[in-house]
């Protein structure tokens, strides 16, 4: 939003977008500015707790929050020497000197009553538990992508957000990006006609995948409570391949390449094509091979894996017609697999490391990872295209304002752009690709209403969460 003053026409448009465009993932949050542009009254400050702030996106989230609001608590289970060195390098603690430190989010939620909102940036297997506990206490929540590790958890969080009437956001910051809105406006203006096919790809995984579980035993670093780090996941010995970085490769902890990047890369297709639940999914997987034995010709033995995600995958998600929009097949590629280069693409242009190609019956359009850099292809088509007026509401700061969009929505008692009403069903569809990886080469028929694979009952064990011991969503 470029101005805090809105004409009657703008207000009417926004009121309309609050109902008609929510299904497309866009909502508008008016911003009250007290005392002039750029001023925020202290009473409008949101007190935020960040859980999982040491490794990965947690630090970035924290730094974005403190630009406008107050971080009052920090929680992370890792107090190892490596964690302390990471904090020292990023100077994180110095930026929030008044924040109270915790190792256990349950203790934090019980003791510290001034927390208004909780930002969850832990490994995936913790997302649902921490978010649910926070919402049950009336805390607003921001959860890093993927929203959850399993489909049933995503369904539970979306239902809980409505029940407890809290403001929610998933950390797929591209959903606040200008490019996402441009592409929807272009599509609605008929730039490429009807879309029946979409190709999405990523350079992930950038960590090892497709290997057997480690057999060697390692001692957990001093300062890391390994049993608590496992939490609801099955018990296994500590190994450096799991923590602090490689956990995404393992099905007990993460959601692999598709879970990591699908909620970014697939966001454009889900939003502008108004995709809901897929009706079926098919997968094919890559494998690693050992080096050949001395004197052996050809490949060595294929590496078998059962609880690691594959080194590469190709997923095909089928979606039904929506209103006047035709059925769509979305193809997902990771681990070095790429779609065919469009014939219209100029010889000197290459595919970005992650992105999306929309294939319309009148042309093609692409964008990069976070829906940025959208273009019609070839470039001559882009130059000849008469762009329509901008009509969709924008997010202040684009994807750099994703956390603030959530915080502003809390202040205004509104809705953030990637709230759980959008993020929950979207995450379910992304994670269905991971379910399909358990049955490569088979078409799984999906009934979203009953949350079941109708033609493969044994697949349902991978749809629903199953926690260790007494851990429960409650």
């Amino acid at each position: 939003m470029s101005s805090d003053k809105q004409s009657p026409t703008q207000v009417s448009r926004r009121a309309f977008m609050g109902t008609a465009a929510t299904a497309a993932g866009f909502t508008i949050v008016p911003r009250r500015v007290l005392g002039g542009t750029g001023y925020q009254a202290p009473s409008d400050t949101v007190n935020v707790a960040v859980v999982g702030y040491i490794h990965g996106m947690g630090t970035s989230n924290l730094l974005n929050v403190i630009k406008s609001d107050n971080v009052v608590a920090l929680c992370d289970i890792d107090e190892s020497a490596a964690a302390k060195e990471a904090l020292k390098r990023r100077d994180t603690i110095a930026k929030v000197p008044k924040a109270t430190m915790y190792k256990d989010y349950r203790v934090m939620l019980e003791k510290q009553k001034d927390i208004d909102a909780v930002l969850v940036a832990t490994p995936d297997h913790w997302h649902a538990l921490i978010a649910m506990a926070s919402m049950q206490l009336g805390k607003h929540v921001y959860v890093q992508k993927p929203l959850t590790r399993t489909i049933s958890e995503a369904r539970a969080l979306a239902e809980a957000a409505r029940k407890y009437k809290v403001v929610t956001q998933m950390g797929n910051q591209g959903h606040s990006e200008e490019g996402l809105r441009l592409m929807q406006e272009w599509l609605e203006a008929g730039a490429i006609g009807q879309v029946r096919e979409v190709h999405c790809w990523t350079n992930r995984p950038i960590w090892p995948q497709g290997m057997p579980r480690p057999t060697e035993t390692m001692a957990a670093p001093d300062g890391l409570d390994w049993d608590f780090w496992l939490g609801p996941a099955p018990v296994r010995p500590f190994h450096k391949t799991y923590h602090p970085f490689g956990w995404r490769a393992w099905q007990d902890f993460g959601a692999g390449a598709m879970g990591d990047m699908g909620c970014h890369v697939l966001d454009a297709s889900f939003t502008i094509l108004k995709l809901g639940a897929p009706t079926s999914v098919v997968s094919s997987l890559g494998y690693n091979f050992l080096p050949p034995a001395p004197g052996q010709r050809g490949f060595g033995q294929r590496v078998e894996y059962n609880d690691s995600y594959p080194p590469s995958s190709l997923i095909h998600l089928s979606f039904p017609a929506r209103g006047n929009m035709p059925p769509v097949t979305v193809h997902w590629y990771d681990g070095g697999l790429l779609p065919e280069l469009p014939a219209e693409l100029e010889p000197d242009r290459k595919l970005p490391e992650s992105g999306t190609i929309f294939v319309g019956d009148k042309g093609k359009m692409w964008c990069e990872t976070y829906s940025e850099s959208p273009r019609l292809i070839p470039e001559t088509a882009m130059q000849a295209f008469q762009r329509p007026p901008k009509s969709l509401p924008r997010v202040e700061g684009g994807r750099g304002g994703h956390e603030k969009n959530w915080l502003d929505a809390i202040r205004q008692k509104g809705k953030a752009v990637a709230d759980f009403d959008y993020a929950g069903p979207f995450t379910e569809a992304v994670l269905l690709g991971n379910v399909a990886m358990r049955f490569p080469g088979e078409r799984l028929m999906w009934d979203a209403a009953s949350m079941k694979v109708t033609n493969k009952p044994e697949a349902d064990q991978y749809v629903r969460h199953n926690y260790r011991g007494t851990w429960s969503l409650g």
Side-chain angles (χ1 to χ4, degrees):
M1 292 174 285
S2 59
S3 171
D4 299 310
K5 296 181 179 180
Q6 300 159 13
S7 69
T9 301
Q10 288 173 313
V11 173
S12 176
R13 170 65 173 169
R14 293 182 176 204
F16 170 75
M17 290 304 297
T19 55
T22 299
F26 296 140
T27 54
I28 187 67
V29 180
R31 181 167 62 96
R32 290 175 299 185
V33 179
L34 305 178
T37 301
Y39 177 81
Q40 182 175 301
S43 60
D44 258 0
T45 300
V46 180
N47 289 337
V48 181
V50 180
V51 184
Y53 66 96
I54 295 178
H55 303 289
M57 280 297 295
T59 300
S60 174
N61 292 143
L62 185 154
L63 295 177
N64 282 336
V65 167
I66 62 177
K67 292 176 183 177
S68 61
D69 285 87
N70 190 29
V71 174
V72 297
L74 295 173
C75 182
D76 202 296
I77 195 172
D78 193 352
E79 294 181 344
S80 65
K84 292 175 182 177
E85 180 60 28
L87 289 175
K88 181 180 177 181
R89 287 197 309 271
R90 298 169 184 168
D91 198 24
T92 307
I93 301 301
K95 298 181 187 299
V96 284
K98 296 182 180 180
T100 306
M101 313 294 292
Y102 297 92
K103 286 186 67 174
D104 190 328
Y105 73 94
R106 298 168 298 181
V107 175
M108 179 190 75
L109 291 173
E110 179 182 356
K111 286 189 173 182
Q112 192 154 346
K113 305 303 182 183
D114 63 340
I115 296 170
D116 300 314
V118 178
L119 192 154
V120 182
T122 62
D124 300 348
H125 69 296
W126 274 111
H127 285 187
L129 285 163
I130 300 172
M132 182 65 79
S134 301
M135 289 191 290
Q136 287 171 340
L137 293 174
K139 314 296 184 186
H140 310 290
V141 292
Y142 178 117
V143 181
Q144 263 303 334
K145 53 78 202 166
L147 183 62
T148 58
R149 191 186 65 85
T150 66
I151 291 173
S152 64
E153 290 174 318
R155 182 74 57 92
L157 290 196
E159 292 173 350
R162 291 189 289 270
K163 175 180 178 180
Y164 297 109
K165 297 179 172 57
V166 293
V167 178
T168 58
Q169 182 94 301
M170 181 169 72
N172 58 330
Q173 61 266 31
H175 202 72
S176 290
E177 175 64 27
E178 168 75 4
L180 187 65
R181 287 140 181 85
L182 287 174
M183 287 188 290
Q184 178 151 353
E185 290 161 350
W186 298 353
L187 188 77
E188 291 175 354
I192 61 172
Q194 293 278 25
V195 175
R196 293 176 173 83
E197 186 177 355
V198 182
H199 300 268
C200 302
W201 68 96
T202 181
N203 65 335
R204 299 313 196 268
I206 54 175
W207 52 84
Q209 284 191 181
M211 62 282 197
R213 182 185 297 198
T215 55
E216 62 181 311
T217 298
M218 292 184 173
D222 290 340
L224 174 65
D225 184 338
W226 179 243
D227 185 70
F228 190 30
W229 187 96
L230 290 171
V235 173
R236 67 174 70 192
F238 172 81
H239 195 278
K240 64 182 180 180
T241 192
Y242 306 133
H243 179 75
F245 181 66
W247 53 266
R248 292 189 188 279
W250 303 93
Q251 292 167 352
D252 285 341
F253 310 135
M258 191 168 192
D260 179 41
M261 294 304 291
C263 291
H264 290 315
V265 180
L266 291 163
D267 187 43
S269 57
F270 271 77
T271 300
I272 72 176
L273 297 178
K274 301 177 174 62
L275 300 179
T279 53
S280 70
V281 60
V282 182
S283 75
S284 57
L285 312 179
Y287 290 88
N288 293 318
F289 289 84
L290 297 172
Q296 178 184 348
R297 301 181 63 181
F299 295 104
Q301 182 180 356
R302 191 176 85 177
V303 176
E304 299 297 335
Y305 53 88
N306 51 19
D307 63 350
S308 169
Y309 288 97
S312 60
S313 65
L314 176 58
I315 310 292
H316 312 277
L317 291 158
S318 298
F319 296 86
R322 292 96 46 229
N324 63 351
M325 305 178 83
V328 177
T329 302
V330 176
H331 308 278
W332 169 265
Y333 311 76
D334 64 38
L337 301 179
L338 294 169
E340 181 182 6
L341 285 172
E344 302 90 338
L345 194 66
E346 296 83 355
D348 60 337
R349 296 176 73 188
K350 308 297 182 186
L351 296 179
E353 65 178 27
S354 300
T356 299
I357 296 172
F358 296 87
V359 180
D361 55 18
K362 295 181 180 178
K364 295 177 183 175
M365 175 173 67
W366 78 356
C367 63
E368 297 188 22
T369 307
Y370 306 101
S371 301
E372 79 274 30
S373 307
R375 308 296 289 177
L376 304 185
I377 51 178
E379 186 61 23
T380 52
M382 187 76 252
Q383 297 303 321
F385 179 54
Q386 296 296 312
R387 299 192 186 194
K390 293 182 179 181
S391 59
L392 295 170
R394 265 53 180 180
V395 172
E396 183 180 0
R399 69 178 185 268
H402 199 57
E403 291 91 347
K404 188 172 184 296
N405 174 261
W406 170 60
L407 296 165
D408 284 344
I410 294 171
R411 276 185 280 274
Q412 303 305 314
K413 297 180 174 60
K415 289 171 68 70
V417 290
D419 73 340
F420 291 179
D421 278 338
Y422 170 75
F426 175 34
T427 300
E428 289 186 29
V430 171
L431 295 179
L432 187 61
N434 284 350
V435 175
M437 290 181 196
R438 301 280 191 165
F439 307 94
E442 299 184 47
R443 181 174 295 277
L444 303 185
M445 306 305 297
W446 178 242
D447 178 12
S450 65
M451 209 162 58
K452 289 182 177 295
V453 176
T454 58
N455 64 330
K456 196 80 174 178
E458 55 265 45
D460 290 335
Q461 63 184 303
Y462 306 115
V463 170
R464 300 182 180 276
H465 60 276
N466 182 23
Y467 296 151
R468 171 170 69 114
T470 59
W471 290 104
S472 170
L473 283 182

